[in-house]
Amino acid sequence: MKIESDFLVIGSGIAGLSFALKVAELGTVAIVTKKEKAESNTNYAQGGIAAVISTRDAFEHHINDTMKAGAYLCHRDVVEIVVTEGPERINELIEVGVQFTKNNDGLDLGKEGGHSHHRIVHAADLTGKEIERALLAKISAHPNIRVYENHISIDLITEHHLFGNEKLSKDSIHCWGAYVLDVEQNVVKTFLATTTMLATGGAGQVYLHTTNPVIATGDGIAMAYRAGAEIANMEFIQFHPTTLYNSGSPSFLISEAVRGFGAILRNKKGEDFMKRYDPQGALAPRDIVARAIDTELKRSGDECVFLDLKHLNAESVRSHFPNIYERCLKHSIDITKDLIPVVPAAHYTCGGVIVDTNGTTSISGLYAVGEVSMTGLHGANRLASNSLLEAVVFSHRAMETIRHKERNTMVAKNIPDWDDSGTINSEEWVLVSHNRREIQQLMWDYVGIVRSNHRLERAQRRIKLILDEVKNFYKRTKVTEGLIELRNLSCLADLIIRSALERKESRGLHFTTDYPNLDDTNWLKDTSIT
Ligand code: FAD
Ligand code: SIN
């Protein structure tokens, strides 16, 4: 079955939805999304969106904070673009209907790690949910947009599908859309479009403990990689320092905004240990705080550290963090009276599909925005709350580029439908669940907060076996959601390990005991894989 539109958007988080709303003024839009439409990393965002709003703040401060958090690997031109265009994009979100929290002076501005000023625009501690609500309300009312829920994209359609396996020049690859599995009907559909937008988010599910919901399996990065796009900086996986200990899977986040509000990180002895690691204490950038917690836990043998809010005004805590308050209460923790046990968990994929300042990838007709992309903004460590911001700034820039560009309106007519002849409905589904779990466990144990050549090489040997096994299984088996995700998770694990082995220094989120120092002479550059 073929479905044609001007624009195909893969993903319904902030990046996909904000892009779709904008390009719907230029043509028809099909949004495919693998679960229910609100299910995305966006929907769980707590802290908010960073932007220079206060008169006490300045673009230069936000630019410097971003550069510093990113260990100076951020592309300064990109940082300047995102920071200076940010406030306008926040106003647009307000116009779309997002209800951000206000105080007597206007927007209430929170603070998070690595920020020198209060600049986090938020909707209590449920910012992402409010953004999804408002964007989806507009999307459902738009006559040019159709959303396909429970549709998981398998692969991008490129010349490879038209001309077979002969070696194509990387410069001549064009994307014509994607093959997508309709999970409910169990049929693979061919979505064709002159412009395809990858907005599939990150890959936290590669790790055993993550804040990311189950959708975050790195599908977009894997699809783009298989299609021949350039991928960069995959070694920089951000671990959020504070997730509720033993809260299940995915791990429940205790927002950094809680520390911005005055919470103190303590070890089991009650020490405010962060003071020993960084002058900014608990509000140091995330890589530093997560590594400090890791060190404390390894040194003491304890299972968690604690967030202490007991000295803060209880009513204020409840009104600023209603969601965190309620969720902790379910675990019999009253955050106004009890210490909150916390541990780090995988949170954000800083690397991804390389794009230029307009969201254009190295494949013609293919754009990427949001967490799936590598714009150069985050460098070696993303500054808190710069992610939602990056998504709206790049969605807008991609739309502007498309609007001013002469579009190729010709959709390839001879694209073959999905061919699964020769494949069977396997009875070995245990392979999928076992290998998914094995990838998550080995990435957590060997490719986590602190790395070494020995651990990375051990992980690589095991991933190679899994990659081969999955490849063979995929060739002879009818696709399912689980198999599609496993194929992508194994690809992502491989990309992360290869990038981590390539960088022979420690910078930002990549810390290895074999090269514990920063090496600006040789390594002030991105790692890339094609
Ligand atoms: P997502 O919001 O993850 O959306 C991806 C979409 O793609 C989903 O709809 C998914 O179903 C779909 N998809 C994926 N693969 C496929 C496929 N194969 N086929 C079809 N559809 C597919 N950032 C901030 O800036 N501020 C915060 O306060 C903040 N808090 C966070 C809290 C949590 C708990 C988490 C997990 C992240 C947080 N982040 C925060 C990070 C931020 O939420 C994400 O980086 C951002 O929302 C990514 O948006 P996105 O649109 O790129 O991807
Ligand atoms: C948080 O609220 O701590 C998450 C913010 C972010 O990931 O940017």
Side-chain angles (χ1 to χ4, degrees):
M1 180 199 275
K2 286 194 172 58
I3 296 166
E4 291 187 27
S5 56
D6 295 312
F7 299 94
L8 169 63
V9 178
I10 310 178
S12 57
I14 189 172
L17 295 182
S18 50
F19 175 78
L21 257 189
K22 285 177 184 253
V23 291
E25 305 311 316
L26 310 175
T28 54
V29 185
I31 302 177
V32 296
T33 189
K34 71 200 242 188
K35 296 274 183 206
E36 186 264 323
K37 57 192 167 198
E39 190 58 5
S40 56
N41 274 7
T42 303
N43 207 38
Y44 298 89
Q46 294 185 356
I49 312 187
V52 176
I53 306 280
S54 160
T55 48
R56 285 188 283 272
D57 198 359
F59 289 145
E60 206 49 33
H61 299 317
H62 191 180
I63 292 167
N64 289 340
D65 293 346
T66 303
M67 295 294 300
K68 191 173 170 202
Y72 296 96
L73 196 65
C74 317
H75 302 187
R76 193 176 169 101
D77 58 333
V78 175
V79 178
E80 286 173 2
I81 286 172
V82 174
V83 166
T84 55
E85 294 181 9
E88 213 177 320
R89 302 285 83 80
I90 301 278
N91 282 336
E92 275 176 8
L93 285 174
I94 294 170
E95 278 162 25
V96 164
V98 180
Q99 308 269 331
F100 290 119
T101 302
K102 291 191 176 149
N103 60 26
N104 293 339
D105 302 326
L107 289 172
D108 185 58
L109 301 174
K111 197 162 184 253
E112 291 182 329
H115 287 276
S116 57
H117 288 72
H118 280 77
R119 62 168 77 98
I120 316 296
V121 180
H122 62 103
D125 57 353
L126 286 166
T127 309
K129 199 169 192 165
E130 171 57 13
I131 291 173
E132 281 284 312
R133 183 204 59 76
L135 288 172
L136 281 170
K138 284 278 180 214
I139 295 267
S140 349
H142 205 296
N144 265 0
I145 306 178
R146 171 138 186 226
V147 184
Y148 297 82
E149 292 182 306
N150 301 307
H151 278 60
I152 178 167
S153 176
I154 307 166
D155 264 324
L156 297 169
I157 300 171
T158 62
E159 273 80 355
H160 166 80
H161 300 95
L162 289 174
F163 307 122
N165 273 329
E166 67 206 54
K167 189 88 183 144
L168 290 157
S169 149
K170 291 260 180 215
D171 303 331
S172 64
I173 305 176
H174 186 94
C175 177
W176 305 100
Y179 289 117
V180 178
L181 173 68
D182 174 341
V183 178
E184 282 168 354
Q185 305 292 324
N186 197 22
V187 56
V188 177
K189 299 174 179 170
T190 309
F191 279 78
L192 297 175
T194 48
T195 304
T196 300
M197 171 56 84
L198 265 185
T200 46
Q205 286 288 330
V206 176
Y207 287 87
L208 189 61
H209 303 292
T210 177
T211 61
N212 293 191
V214 288
I215 54 99
T217 49
D219 298 357
I221 299 174
M223 284 190 281
Y225 174 66
R226 285 194 292 271
E230 285 179 59
I231 312 294
N233 286 357
M234 290 304 296
E235 67 275 32
F236 298 120
I237 298 294
Q238 183 171 73
F239 289 79
H240 197 292
T242 55
T243 67
L244 183 60
Y245 175 62
N246 258 343
S247 55
S249 176
S251 311
F252 180 69
L253 184 76
I254 309 291
S255 174
E256 199 157 280
V258 173
R259 274 175 280 138
F261 198 69
I264 299 167
L265 263 174
R266 299 193 186 281
N267 58 20
K268 204 172 174 182
K269 288 188 208 149
E271 290 168 345
D272 176 1
F273 62 89
M274 272 313 301
K275 284 189 180 147
R276 282 193 265 117
Y277 292 87
D278 193 276
Q280 292 179 85
L283 280 179
R286 274 182 201 165
D287 54 333
I288 296 170
V289 183
R291 226 165 16 248
I293 295 176
D294 190 66
T295 308
E296 288 289 309
L297 297 183
K298 284 196 175 121
R299 220 179 253 160
S300 62
D302 295 339
E303 288 185 327
C304 60
V305 293
F306 300 89
L307 269 172
D308 182 357
L309 288 76
K310 290 186 295 181
H311 55 291
L312 301 172
N313 177 281
E315 191 40 50
S316 255
V317 166
R318 276 192 292 268
S319 70
H320 273 83
F321 306 107
N323 173 45
I324 295 172
Y325 176 77
E326 287 300 331
R327 179 66 183 262
C328 288
L329 217 48
K330 287 198 179 120
H331 290 261
S332 306
I333 300 162
D334 178 342
I335 64 172
T336 65
K337 295 188 186 127
D338 306 317
L339 294 174
I340 314 174
V342 289
V343 284
H347 183 62
Y348 186 83
T349 313
C350 291
V353 184
I354 296 185
V355 292
D356 66 9
T357 52
N358 299 314
T360 310
T361 70
S362 54
I363 295 180
S364 103
L366 180 70
Y367 290 73
V369 285
E371 196 168 336
V372 67
S373 66
M374 203 299 281
T375 63
L377 174 69
H378 307 307
N381 173 40
R382 176 180 65 101
L383 181 67
S385 288
N386 264 358
S387 169
L388 298 172
L389 180 69
E390 179 192 47
V392 282
V393 167
F394 273 81
S395 296
H396 181 79
R397 293 180 73 84
M399 177 279 291
E400 283 293 344
T401 307
I402 291 162
R403 191 155 72 95
H404 291 110
K405 200 163 130 181
E406 202 180 320
R407 263 182 301 140
N408 174 11
T409 48
M410 188 194 74
V411 171
K413 293 291 175 208
N414 49 347
I415 304 271
D417 274 333
W418 183 254
D419 180 8
D420 63 0
S421 52
T423 59
I424 52 159
N425 280 313
S426 173
E427 292 186 355
E428 297 174 57
W429 291 116
V430 65
L431 179 141
V432 174
S433 55
H434 175 90
N435 279 348
R436 185 175 176 129
R437 187 78 185 171
E438 192 175 336
I439 292 169
Q440 291 172 328
Q441 184 76 58
L442 80 87
M443 291 300 285
W444 183 256
D445 290 342
Y446 300 145
V447 197
I449 297 172
V450 174
R451 299 162 180 178
S452 70
N453 279 345
H454 183 64
R455 287 185 205 157
L456 290 173
E457 282 158 8
R458 181 178 284 184
Q460 190 167 48
R461 281 195 296 275
R462 282 161 168 73
I463 284 295
K464 272 197 178 129
L465 293 175
I466 295 176
L467 273 173
D468 279 350
E469 221 168 85
V470 173
K471 204 169 162 187
N472 287 334
F473 191 67
Y474 183 82
K475 265 193 207 150
R476 59 189 160 83
T477 312
K478 294 208 186 303
V479 286
T480 61
E481 202 180 0
L483 181 54
I484 293 165
E485 289 189 343
L486 175 64
R487 182 176 177 231
N488 294 332
L489 284 169
S490 53
C491 170
L492 264 285
D494 179 53
L495 292 174
I496 296 168
I497 296 167
R498 279 160 66 191
S499 310
L501 278 167
E502 192 179 330
R503 183 170 292 281
K504 295 184 175 42
E505 64 156 356
S506 288
R507 182 184 296 274
L509 297 160
H510 175 67
F511 185 87
T512 162
T513 52
D514 288 291
Y515 309 97
N517 301 317
L518 203 67
D519 177 0
D520 277 343
T521 314
N522 297 304
W523 282 103
L524 195 54
K525 59 184 182 191
D526 300 323
T527 52
S528 86
I529 298 182
T530 42

